[in-house]
Amino acid sequence: MKIAILGAGRVAFHLGKALMSAGHDIIQVYSRTASSASEVALRCGGAPITDISQLTYEADAYLFAVTDMALPHLIPLVCKGREERVFLHTAGSMALDVFQGMAFHYAVLYPMQTFSKERELDFSQIPCFIEANDAKALETVTSMANAVSRRVELLSSDDRKYLHLAAVFACNFSNHCFALAAEILKQHHMSFDVMLPLIDETVKKVHQFSPRTVQTGPAVRYDENVIRQQSQLLRKDPLMKDLYDRLSLSIHKLSIEQ
């Protein structure tokens, strides 16, 4: 399948390579900046372009891997004159019908993973959630998803929004907690790497058990003495103190609802 990629960020970087490795032909990579387009094109093939007017009409599918803000602006420019082709986006929180009225065949291919250009990933282990507006688009997105992932599931736009929300809690918020822990340790001349065995064991446990059932710490039993003391340690940072207090309450609430 001939594919043109719109965007040159982390998703395009990894998904483009996976599609190329699966035998698809990446024929163009568009980005507003030449260096970004060239970086992805070098990795997954195709010609880098920075002018949307140079976008090919020869692709079978046009894959949007851009920010949610850029998507509504870019879609009309890409779909015009190519309405019979298949158009896909990769966003977690954007509805399928963002293409409505501008194309006949369109779909979503959402790979649920955190991506960094510095880290290699086995894309086959990444769950991909798909949706399409008609049979042609479904056949295209299913073929693409099955070529790169061992776990492909149909999911509606409404449900995908909640999946994305859950991913924010599981990934972005937990990583932010790591960053906050790192700041506390840095202020007191300790290295963050002392946390790594604890973090690794926590992650290993949720591979086997429900996160709710393996929660530990003072908030589960609501040890008020410890919670009060730790909260006071954060009194010079009201936002962080508020996060600590609210998370402690949330942990305890969930624990007693089991």
Side-chain angles (χ1 to χ4, degrees):
M1 188 185 305
K2 294 180 180 179
I3 301 170
I5 296 178
L6 292 304
R10 290 168 290 184
V11 175
F13 188 81
H14 286 279
L15 180 53
K17 181 191 175 186
L19 288 166
M20 180 201 69
S21 298
H24 291 290
D25 184 10
I26 310 301
I27 60 175
Q28 270 186 342
V29 177
Y30 164 79
S31 176
R32 291 178 299 175
T33 58
S35 60
S36 296
S38 296
E39 181 183 18
V40 174
L42 183 64
R43 186 175 178 90
C44 63
I49 60 170
T50 58
D51 186 345
I52 201 66
S53 68
Q54 296 175 339
L55 185 65
T56 180
Y57 285 84
E58 302 304 315
D60 301 305
Y62 293 82
L63 179 67
F64 294 80
V66 297
T67 65
D68 289 6
M69 289 180 62
L71 197 56
H73 169 72
L74 196 56
I75 284 174
L77 301 177
V78 175
C79 291
K80 188 175 182 181
R82 304 176 182 87
E83 290 86 356
E84 293 288 348
R85 305 298 184 178
V86 178
F87 303 87
L88 311 93
H89 77 66
T90 60
S93 290
M94 293 296 287
L96 173 67
D97 63 12
V98 70
F99 293 108
Q100 195 169 29
M102 285 170 278
F104 297 122
H105 317 289
Y106 45 90
V108 175
L109 197 174
Y110 172 52
M112 194 184 68
Q113 183 54 281
T114 175
F115 294 101
S116 299
K117 290 185 178 180
E118 300 80 15
R119 281 185 57 82
E120 290 293 330
L121 289 170
D122 180 358
F123 212 100
S124 69
Q125 300 299 312
I126 299 172
C128 289
F129 298 88
I130 63 172
E131 182 183 15
N133 78 310
D134 67 6
K136 180 177 179 178
L138 182 60
E139 181 182 5
T140 300
V141 70
T142 301
S143 172
M144 291 171 66
N146 281 331
V148 298
S149 173
R150 294 177 186 170
R151 183 171 183 178
V152 177
E153 296 185 20
L154 282 167
L155 194 69
S156 70
S157 290
D158 285 342
D159 286 338
R160 183 164 30 85
K161 289 179 182 178
Y162 287 99
L163 177 71
H164 191 219
L165 173 62
V168 167
F169 272 92
C171 174
N172 305 129
F173 286 178
S174 61
N175 187 71
H176 182 62
C177 287
F178 299 156
L180 294 178
E183 285 300 308
I184 292 172
L185 293 168
K186 181 180 177 181
Q187 290 168 13
H188 296 277
H189 314 292
M190 289 178 277
S191 173
F192 180 70
D193 63 10
V194 301
M195 293 285 116
L196 297 180
L198 176 65
I199 292 169
D200 291 344
E201 177 60 19
T202 301
V203 173
K204 286 176 184 176
K205 284 197 292 187
V206 298
H207 276 266
Q208 293 182 267
F209 309 105
S210 162
R212 183 189 282 197
T213 62
V214 295
Q215 183 72 56
T216 61
V220 173
R221 56 188 180 272
Y222 213 71
D223 188 332
E224 293 188 53
N225 289 334
V226 175
I227 292 171
R228 189 181 303 112
Q229 289 172 16
Q230 291 187 338
S231 181
Q232 281 302 108
L233 292 175
L234 298 169
R235 61 187 178 277
K236 292 182 180 179
D237 188 337
L239 177 58
M240 198 165 171
K241 182 179 183 302
D242 187 51
L243 282 172
Y244 177 90
D245 293 341
R246 289 176 182 271
L247 282 171
S248 294
L249 284 171
S250 180
I251 289 169
H252 184 64
K253 181 176 182 293
L254 204 60
S255 72
I256 62 177
E257 289 176 353
Q258 292 187 52

